[in-house]
Amino acid sequence: ETPSFFLSVISTKQTMSVRPKTLPPIQDMPPAGGFRKIDTIRHFPGRGPKGWQLWLGTSVAIVYGMAMIGKTNREKAQQRLEERKMRFAIAPILQAESDREYAIREKVILAKEAEIMKNVPGWKVGESQYYTKKENVPRKINPLDKRLT
């Protein structure tokens, strides 16, 4: 069944618009029982910890970090001390071994010098070639040079 509104529009002369007088009044009404209530209370989420809580947490973290740094420094110092003591303990043994190798190599060098300079009159094996009163410092020998052994 078509409403009377459409019949009145159809029966009248066709124009671009319909005059308001010819239209029945239409009003929107709320649903039965009314609209649901609109919640106007604003609920903000928590904004995180308070300032004093942040300060306290940061302070605890810094103090803990410094304590761990101090503990690590003490452990490293103790380890370095032990290593130093071990090196000091074996230093005389290493020095004696080095002196022994030096003596063997010096003996080989002096033997080669005597062999090379045997025909030179007045040559003294092992003495400095320079005329000086300064103390004769021992030669430095490369311990990895295998040609001298």
Side-chain angles (χ1 to χ4, degrees):
E1 179 172 312
T2 35
S4 62
F5 164 72
F6 288 115
L7 290 176
S8 66
V9 170
I10 293 172
S11 63
T12 59
K13 157 174 118 166
Q14 297 280 331
T15 61
M16 291 298 286
S17 64
V18 179
R19 296 182 59 125
K21 287 182 182 178
T22 61
L23 293 177
I26 298 173
Q27 182 176 1
D28 288 338
M29 298 301 291
F35 290 107
R36 66 183 178 93
K37 185 174 179 181
I38 298 173
D39 188 11
T40 58
I41 299 173
R42 297 182 68 181
H43 297 286
F44 293 110
R47 295 189 55 180
K50 296 177 172 79
W52 67 269
Q53 293 169 330
L54 290 173
W55 188 86
L56 181 66
T58 304
S59 299
V60 167
I62 289 171
V63 168
Y64 176 76
M66 291 297 176
M68 290 298 105
I69 288 172
K71 178 182 173 189
T72 305
N73 287 346
R74 284 189 299 275
E75 289 172 357
K76 284 184 178 180
Q78 182 69 26
Q79 185 176 2
R80 283 194 301 264
L81 179 66
E82 289 174 6
E83 287 177 5
R84 218 174 309 129
K85 284 182 178 179
M86 287 187 282
R87 287 181 183 160
F88 289 161
I90 64 172
I93 298 167
L94 295 176
Q95 185 63 48
E97 186 177 337
S98 176
D99 292 347
R100 186 182 133 274
E101 288 177 0
Y102 178 79
I104 292 170
R105 289 182 183 275
E106 187 68 17
K107 187 176 179 183
V108 169
I109 289 172
L110 293 178
K112 285 186 179 182
E113 182 181 342
E115 176 67 29
I116 293 171
M117 303 301 283
K118 65 182 174 187
N119 297 331
V120 178
W123 184 265
K124 296 180 184 174
V125 176
E127 283 190 7
S128 176
Q129 299 89 355
Y130 305 105
Y131 299 104
T132 179
K133 301 289 184 198
K134 291 184 180 177
E135 182 181 326
N136 188 10
V137 180
R139 286 184 281 230
K140 291 188 179 180
I141 298 176
N142 183 2
L144 301 177
D145 190 0
K146 299 299 179 189
R147 294 177 295 156
L148 301 176
T149 55

